[in-house]
Structures are given as structure tokens and as C-alpha cells.
Amino acid sequence: MPLEFNRELWGDIHTYYLNKLYSIYHKETIWDQHLYDIGYRGFPDPIFYLKSDNFLTPDFLAIGMKEKDVQIIDIKGFQNIEKNLNSQEEVEEKIASKIMKIRKYEKINKNMISHYLSYRQIDFKSNKEEIIALIPSKIYQKYTKSIKEGAGNKIIVWVIESNKKCYIWKAHGSHLNPVLNDFLDSKNKGISIYPGREDLIRFTRNTPKKIIKFCFIEKMMTYCSRKSIKKFNFDEIDSILTRTDLPMFPHLLRKEREEIWRYCMHTMMSRFHLIKKGRLRNQYEWDKSRFLEQPMDRNSILENIAKKLKIGVHE
Amino acid sequence: MLKEKIRPLIERYLSKDVDLGKHIYFKHYYSSIPLEEADLVDILIKELNINSPIKEISKRDYSRIITVNGENIIFYAISNEDWLVIFSNALPHQICKNLKELSKKVGWLLDAWIQGETLEQVYKEYSSEDDKVNIKRKWNPYWIYKNYSRIPTEMQKFFEEHMDQFVEQESEFSLKTPKRMVDKFFKSGFKKELLELAEISQSKFEIHLSNPGDAKVTLEKDGMVVHRAGDLNATLTVLDKAENGIYPLYKELEQIIPQKDYKYYESGIIDINSYLPSKILKIKFTDKQFDEGASIKLSNLLTVGQSDTEIHGIIYKQKGLEFVAYSYLVYDNSEFEILFTEESNNPVLYIRPINTTITGLLYLYRKLKEKFDPRIERQIIDGQDVIGG
């Protein structure tokens, strides 16, 4: 079996499913009929702030521009569910309870949805919120009973088939909007998804931390080498990583991204000793700056990090 | 035509130097920052080490004029991604030298590329059999660093037994003769490989032109054309020819580049506004074997780079001789996912740009030809059709 393109730096299986889901809401993915064509718009990795500083982060928010209906979608991939549990019953129970848990999104109310959409300057008032679990078809076939049990009559189940031909269809529950209901019906084979287009979103909230750290460091090093930057301020990082191609986490709020940058900077400083605090407040400087000029120094830093983070050949 | 566009600029800003018979330099750079946005005065003060008075005297849509010590330097934007810098040796020697080597200092500039075939065409087309030709060629294939390189354990033995393949081995020759003698000289058993390797690391021609006018011109592979004497119009014709040579390849590679355009909101959220996925560039090295040597050289070239090869990255997967690399360019923050495999026992690379510009991809492509082997077949594949895609 020859080696294949892996795209693993492009993310994990969760990111893959999220891209597939996003593509049926995206105007740039013209293929068959998509939810975009019947008036739905979708937003990956939304955030809803509750009172008391808490927040909820489902995987996807979809809104119907005609019926003003809302779908709050969580991807339940259950990749390793069988690994750590002993018996079949245990697995089934776990699946049912994990599905049931997404009922927590019932806390997301109309105002929170309007507020989130205002970040994109969309004026929208929801009529009805629906909660959906998106499940890979292999898992669904195997654990249909427990999935339906967990979903009850509060959660709608969508299934994604992502082998050679990609589909999303509805397996359980029904939507307020009959057009959507019909569109997703298994009898109509659901919605066929464009093959490819896994690069609409590169990093999600579920991307493994080690990949985020590696890519963050690589992007900072490459950018600083390009402009011969030895010192930089924390405030500059967000524009370095979003105003240059390809932006990292473009779909998140700036304040959320800054949390990620803070975390990555901490790793760069305390674990890899690549940067140190500068003299001024919020200022950082590269500890050794020879890499700014030498490609082989950049390579040896990246190799070293990949090794410590157990990425790629070091996994 | 380029020459029509730059002639008025030369007449206005460099006519004195042309009249005095100064050498006029035309240095072509690829730039990942558009000319109009670049902080030219700042860059020149810093990189040219200039203490003399320097100021910008004109800034228009496609051109900017900087005066150093009373001498003019013309910056002309051929496109968004490339500039032509025009100056004369009325400037002090050191400043001329630094202007020719800006890409060594500035991370977002690269030397442009006049392909080997184009250079040969120019001298064949524009000079007569009796014109003197001065040809310099240097071949500097990729070699392995003792301390930086990555040799997989299972290839260590091969590496040690074939060490001579991996050490520095420059070859260079210089030839000064009437044009009619050039072919004869090459046929007389000169190192065959150098002849076939038209795309060698450095190549420089100095020719006396008879057609379309009398002039003495030097052309270098790194995007440099020098007018030394005679009719400037003849040199401009050569310049046009040299610059246009790359255009078909440029157009071909353009379709591989992924394109995304974004919409920015105050909250910090950025949405994809328009989107075109990348295609894949497949390169097959038709005169090379798929063996340990190819795997070791290419994996290091694509990740360790060299002082004249600004590529860095990591090997992400390795299975026997095959590998998947992630390669990056400082020039434009390019990122490539590259698969090395075989086809009918020849080494093959599948290059998927994750993020790049045309000139960035052109650079990677050029370095593969120059540093590994120029005898290739290339093909553009749709992203969906590739193995494992």
C-alpha cells in the first residue's frame, strides 16, 4: 500500500465532518442542491454566552432565512468509544448518555442566537430552535437503538456517510420546516455533499492542541523571518495570524482567538524556550534569532518541536 | 509590451546615464508585497547601508522613483507580484551590488527567473554567427549538510556507501568565442551532463547583438539584464523577450494556486467570501531512479533547504523511500503538502499548495529543477482525483 496524502496537519476527523457540514451551507460550494439553496445559512464553532460568565459551544449553528428556524448541531463522532470500555452494554449506555447530554443546548435562547449573529451583522429573530446530533453512518448502523434512545423526542439525529459518496440525511425526529424535513429525508437519500472541500475550515475548537501549537509556532517563525522581526507585541499576534493567508481560526471571535494565542505563547516560552519577555509590557522577543535568516535553523526548531509534541513521524 | 512602458521612464529619469554610456541594469524581483505598499526608502536605507541623501521623488500607479546621492533608481511594477528595478552604474559600486542582491536581505523578495531555454533562445535569435558570446555556467546541485540533515536509519548504510552523491560538487565553466564556435565546442565532448542540464544553478550570457540593433548585453538567470553598450532599444527588445519567456509557465501554474477572499467583521470574525480550491502539481523526474539517493536528497531539499534555497519544513510521514513533507517559504508564507512516491521507477512529487502565490510556487518548482534534476514531466491534476485525496 503506497503512502497517501494524509492531510493530518489539516485536522482530525472532527474537523473533517465539520467541513463537510459547513460545505452544504456555503455559497461557494456549488454542487447539487444544498441547504444554502433553500435559504439556510451556517456558522461553524459558534459561542453563546450564558449569565454568570459561562458559555456554550456547539459545533454548528444553522439558520433558516424563510421560516426563521434554527438548528444547533453537535458532531458526535464517537471515534474511540469502543477502545476504553469493556462491554457492549457499556458502550451503548455511554453513547445514549452522551447524546442525551447535548440537551444542554436547550439553554440557548432566541436572544443569545440574535446576539451571536450580530457579530456578523445579521439581524435575525429565531422562531424555533432545534437540537441536532450529527453521527457517522458506521456508528449509527451499529448503535441505532441507543442513539434513538438518547435522542428521545428532543433531539433530531442526522447521519453522515463519508466514504466515497458523501451524504447527510435525517434518521430520527422531524423539523418544523417541511421543506427542510423533506430535503433531508432518508427516502430522498438526503443531501449529497461535494467531494473534497475539506479546507473551508482548517482548525476547529476540537483540533488536537499539539497541531495548533505546531502550526502557531511555524506561522510565527515564518512570518517573523519574512519581515526580520526580532521583537513583537502580544497585540500584533492576532493580525499576524489572521491578516496573512491563511488565517488561523478566522471563524472565531477575536477575544476567543486571543485566548488560544496566549496559550500557545505560554508553550513557546516555558516549554520550548523560543521566546522570552521583552523589556516593555506585553512585548516578546525571540530567544535565538538565527532562524530568521537560515532555513536549516527553522527546520531544526520545527523538527525538535514535532518530536516533543509527538507529531507525524514521531507519533 | 514591457519595453514600451519603461522607455518613457528611462528617458525621463536615466537619459543622462544612457547618453554617458553608463551600464544600465534591469533587475527583476518577485515580491510578495505590492510595490505601492512597500516602504522603499526605509528598505533602501537599511539594506543598502546608505548614509547619503535619499528621497522618493515620484510615486505613480506602476512606478516609483527614488533618488540616492542625486542618481535615480526606477522601480516599476510589472504586476502585483513582480518589480523591475532599473538603475545605472553612475551609482557607487557597492550600492549597485546591493541593489542586485536585495533578495538576500529582504525575506519577501526573491530573484526572478529567466529560464535556461529563454537565455539560449535570446542568444540564438539576436546575435549573428560572428558575434562574440561569453557564456558562464555553474551547476550547484543539492548537497547534504553534515549536521542538519535527516537520514532515516534504514538509509544510513546507503548514505555512507554513496557519500560522493551527497557532497558538494559544483561544476563551472566559462567560454568566450564567436557564436558559430559555440555548438562546435559543445559537441567536442564537453561534459555532456552540463549541456543537458540547461536549468543549472547559475547561467550568464554576455552577447554582442547585431539584431535588432548593435548592443552589448549581459543576461543572467536570476532575472538580470545589463545594457553595457550600444543601442538601448536593442537591449530593451532582449529584455522583453527574456521577461516574456516565463509567461506561459506563469499562466500554467496560476491555475494551481488556491484562492480565498475574506470578509472581515468588527468582532474579529472572518468569513470566506469567495473560494477556489488548489490543484495539484505532479512532477516526474524522467532521468532519475526512484531510490535511496532521490529520497534522501529530496526530503532534505524540501525541509532543510540550503543557503541559496529558502525552503524549510518537516517530514510528516515516511514509509520506506516514500514520504509526505510539509514545506514552507518565508517569501510569502507558502505552505505545501508534498508526497514523494514513484511511477515506473522514476521519482515523482505531488505538490499540493495549501497556501501560496504564483511566484512562490514558481520558486519551489525552479529549485526542484535546479537542485535535483531539470529533466522533468509536469502535469496538473484536480485536487479530487489524486491518490488518497
Side-chain angles (χ1 to χ4, degrees):
Chain A
M1 178 73 179
L3 205 54
E4 294 180 339
F5 263 159
N6 275 285
R7 288 196 158 196
E8 286 177 51
L9 271 186
W10 275 84
D12 50 317
I13 188 77
H14 176 92
T15 305
Y16 173 82
Y17 290 136
L18 190 53
N19 267 296
K20 291 286 175 204
L21 179 65
Y22 192 18
S23 76
I24 60 175
Y25 291 95
H26 207 282
K27 70 179 169 73
E28 291 292 302
T29 334
I30 303 155
W31 165 264
D32 229 1
Q33 233 197 350
H34 275 172
L35 292 183
Y36 182 86
D37 306 304
I38 56 162
Y40 282 88
R41 302 293 175 263
F43 312 97
D45 278 340
I47 187 162
F48 301 99
Y49 292 97
L50 310 172
K51 282 172 194 164
S52 71
D53 270 359
N54 276 335
F55 51 83
L56 285 170
T57 54
D59 293 318
F60 204 81
L61 171 73
I63 57 171
M65 304 307 273
K66 286 179 190 149
E67 301 290 329
K68 305 289 176 196
D69 53 329
V70 165
Q71 288 79 42
I72 296 163
I73 308 170
D74 223 38
I75 297 167
K76 289 285 166 216
F78 297 118
Q79 289 85 284
N80 297 319
I81 193 99
E82 287 160 351
K83 262 189 195 162
N84 306 321
L85 295 167
N86 299 325
S87 66
Q88 184 74 5
E89 289 79 41
E90 260 184 282
V91 177
E92 284 169 6
E93 255 174 54
K94 189 85 188 170
I95 287 179
S97 92
K98 283 207 160 193
I99 301 242
M100 216 181 294
K101 272 193 186 143
I102 67 173
R103 283 188 60 183
K104 67 183 174 196
Y105 298 136
E106 286 172 358
K107 285 186 196 153
I108 299 170
N109 63 32
K110 297 179 188 354
N111 289 339
M112 293 174 198
I113 293 166
S114 296
H115 185 70
Y116 175 73
L117 290 167
S118 73
Y119 294 138
R120 284 185 169 86
Q121 289 160 4
I122 298 170
D123 189 14
F124 183 90
K125 197 92 193 156
S126 158
N127 260 342
K128 159 99 178 155
E129 301 83 46
E130 297 168 333
I131 297 172
I132 291 146
L134 180 72
I135 294 165
S137 78
K138 261 193 195 160
I139 295 283
Y140 180 75
Q141 307 299 353
K142 203 167 168 188
Y143 300 103
T144 313
K145 196 169 148 272
S146 9
I147 288 166
K148 287 191 172 178
E149 230 173 72
N153 56 5
K154 297 284 185 187
I155 296 168
I156 299 169
V157 176
W158 290 3
V159 173
I160 179 163
E161 168 71 60
S162 64
N163 281 332
K164 279 193 176 139
K165 285 200 168 167
C166 294
Y167 291 97
I168 287 182
W169 49 279
K170 181 169 63 65
H172 175 81
S174 65
H175 292 284
L176 172 77
N177 180 1
V179 181
L180 180 66
N181 219 34
D182 235 37
F183 222 71
L184 282 157
D185 203 300
S186 58
K187 280 181 230 134
N188 304 332
K189 279 193 171 171
I191 302 167
S192 90
I193 307 172
Y194 193 93
R197 299 292 197 269
E198 291 89 9
D199 55 353
L200 284 169
I201 321 169
R202 180 168 184 183
F203 303 100
T204 64
R205 291 208 189 101
N206 292 59
T207 303
K209 295 263 188 312
K210 59 180 188 178
I211 290 180
I212 297 174
K213 286 177 192 167
F214 180 85
C215 292
F216 176 89
I217 295 171
E218 180 280 314
K219 276 174 176 279
M220 287 303 289
M221 275 176 48
T222 304
Y223 183 84
C224 288
S225 307
R226 178 169 178 244
K227 299 252 174 111
S228 308
I229 296 171
K230 289 188 181 136
K231 289 178 192 165
F232 54 90
N233 278 331
F234 183 81
D235 306 342
E236 292 171 81
I237 297 174
D238 193 61
S239 71
I240 290 176
L241 294 171
T242 57
R243 289 280 167 164
T244 51
D245 270 343
L246 298 161
M248 251 181 125
F249 290 108
H251 61 296
L252 299 189
L253 292 171
R254 188 180 296 110
K255 59 180 175 184
E256 264 195 277
R257 277 199 302 265
E258 283 178 347
E259 283 307 306
I260 302 173
W261 310 152
R262 227 179 287 285
Y263 168 80
C264 290
M265 288 295 283
H266 180 74
T267 309
M268 264 171 98
M269 196 152 61
S270 58
R271 184 164 174 199
F272 296 124
H273 309 291
L274 290 170
I275 48 169
K276 55 188 181 197
K277 283 237 155 122
R279 273 191 207 160
L280 304 171
R281 198 169 156 261
N282 266 341
Q283 191 190 50
Y284 295 90
E285 59 183 288
W286 292 102
D287 191 34
K288 293 189 183 74
S289 57
R290 207 172 64 166
F291 77 85
L292 293 173
E293 273 146 35
Q294 297 292 343
M296 40 282 212
D297 284 306
R298 294 193 280 277
N299 162 265
S300 61
I301 292 171
L302 289 181
E303 276 291 344
N304 182 34
I305 290 168
K307 205 176 198 169
K308 287 188 179 153
L309 292 173
K310 298 196 169 55
I311 278 180
V313 288
H314 308 289
E315 220 165 294
Chain B
M1 290 239 276
L2 182 62
K3 68 173 178 183
E4 303 306 336
K5 289 177 183 151
I6 58 175
R7 203 196 319 259
L9 290 170
I10 296 170
E11 279 165 7
R12 176 146 185 209
Y13 296 104
L14 289 174
S15 62
K16 171 180 64 96
D17 300 345
V18 175
D19 293 345
L20 286 171
K22 295 281 179 197
H23 294 177
I24 310 290
Y25 298 89
F26 300 86
K27 171 69 185 175
H28 186 183
Y29 287 112
Y30 295 144
S31 170
S32 64
I33 293 183
L35 179 61
E36 54 176 27
E37 288 170 25
D39 226 335
L40 282 185
V41 170
D42 243 32
I43 296 165
L44 295 183
I45 290 176
K46 208 166 111 202
E47 307 303 348
L48 302 185
N49 245 334
I50 299 177
N51 298 320
S52 8
I54 172 166
K55 64 174 183 207
E56 179 153 11
I57 57 165
S58 154
K59 185 172 179 181
R60 286 161 190 261
D61 278 354
Y62 299 102
S63 68
R64 296 174 66 174
I65 314 294
I66 306 277
T67 299
V68 177
N69 232 357
E71 302 295 337
N72 293 330
I73 305 169
I74 301 169
F75 288 82
Y76 179 79
I78 300 177
S79 78
N80 250 346
E81 285 185 37
D82 47 1
W83 312 352
L84 197 60
V85 187
I86 311 170
F87 54 97
S88 88
N89 65 347
L91 282 164
H93 174 73
Q94 193 55 41
I95 293 183
C96 285
K97 188 169 178 283
N98 289 344
L99 277 172
K100 286 187 253 179
E101 292 175 353
L102 276 181
S103 60
K104 283 191 184 160
K105 300 275 179 70
V106 183
W108 42 269
L109 282 180
L110 287 174
D111 288 326
W113 179 28
I114 304 178
Q115 294 178 93
E117 303 99 76
T118 312
L119 287 178
E120 304 214 354
Q121 265 175 22
V122 167
Y123 107 83
K124 279 181 181 147
E125 198 169 314
Y126 295 119
S127 53
S128 77
E129 290 296 300
D130 291 327
D131 282 334
K132 267 248 164 67
V133 188
N134 184 356
I135 301 174
K136 273 189 193 149
R137 276 187 175 186
K138 191 163 123 189
W139 189 41
N140 181 13
Y142 191 76
W143 43 271
I144 299 289
Y145 287 100
K146 206 174 160 198
N147 296 327
Y148 282 100
S149 304
R150 179 182 167 276
I151 316 287
T153 330
E154 59 275 22
M155 293 185 213
Q156 198 67 40
K157 191 162 170 264
F158 178 94
F159 179 69
E160 277 155 25
E161 282 169 6
H162 300 80
M163 197 65 95
D164 56 329
Q165 271 190 39
F166 300 104
V167 293
E168 203 169 354
Q169 43 184 334
E170 274 184 27
S171 34
E172 193 173 347
F173 80 92
S174 174
L175 173 67
K176 200 170 186 173
T177 180
K179 185 179 153 194
R180 66 187 138 80
M181 298 294 288
V182 175
D183 289 344
K184 212 173 171 182
F185 175 83
F186 280 156
K187 276 178 196 145
S188 70
F190 191 78
K191 197 176 172 194
K192 187 172 165 277
E193 185 129 78
L194 259 183
L195 263 184
E196 284 177 356
L197 302 179
E199 214 45 77
I200 47 186
S201 312
Q202 273 183 33
S203 189
K204 187 171 170 177
F205 281 86
E206 189 178 310
I207 49 175
H208 185 266
L209 300 173
S210 306
N211 165 33
D214 255 339
K216 207 167 132 194
V217 182
T218 311
L219 290 114
E220 283 175 45
K221 214 169 156 250
D222 283 338
M224 174 69 113
V225 173
V226 189
H227 171 75
R228 295 190 177 275
D231 181 2
L232 182 68
N233 279 325
T235 303
L236 291 180
T237 305
V238 170
L239 178 74
D240 243 341
K241 177 91 182 174
E243 296 303 342
N244 285 334
I246 199 83
Y247 193 67
L249 179 62
Y250 196 93
K251 282 313 263 182
E252 190 187 321
L253 297 185
E254 194 174 23
Q255 52 175 315
I256 302 173
I257 311 296
Q259 279 168 23
K260 282 188 178 135
D261 174 43
Y262 301 94
K263 187 171 179 184
Y264 298 84
Y265 298 96
E266 210 158 293
S267 55
I269 290 179
I270 303 162
D271 276 336
I272 297 172
N273 202 23
S274 71
Y275 161 75
L276 197 70
S278 70
K279 289 185 179 170
I280 287 160
L281 175 63
K282 178 185 171 190
I283 296 178
K284 181 174 169 180
F285 296 96
T286 50
D287 281 52
K288 287 280 189 183
Q289 293 288 309
F290 176 73
D291 60 9
E292 284 87 345
S295 179
I296 291 171
K297 266 199 184 180
L298 284 170
S299 63
N300 282 286
L301 171 64
L302 290 168
T303 59
V304 181
Q306 204 134 77
S307 54
D308 62 349
T309 305
E310 278 282 340
I311 301 171
H312 65 278
I314 58 161
I315 296 297
Y316 189 69
K317 278 263 149 80
Q318 176 117 30
K319 194 172 180 184
L321 302 181
E322 290 181 312
F323 63 79
V324 172
Y326 282 86
S327 296
Y328 308 96
L329 303 184
V330 158
Y331 166 64
D332 57 357
N333 306 316
S334 276
E335 175 169 3
F336 301 97
E337 185 185 41
I338 303 174
L339 168 67
F340 173 73
T341 181
E342 66 143 344
E343 193 177 279
S344 36
N345 211 28
N346 288 133
V348 173
L349 293 173
Y350 288 89
I351 301 171
R352 187 205 312 265
I354 294 169
N355 178 44
T356 191
T357 56
I358 305 166
T359 42
L361 179 62
L362 205 56
Y363 181 78
L364 178 75
Y365 176 74
R366 170 185 178 178
K367 287 296 165 187
L368 286 166
K369 281 183 89 176
E370 283 179 2
K371 292 283 171 184
F372 187 62
D373 200 279
R375 292 158 295 190
I376 61 153
E377 271 171 26
R378 64 170 186 270
Q379 196 190 337
I380 293 171
I381 310 171
D382 247 335
Q384 268 44 278
D385 304 336
V386 82
I387 35 171

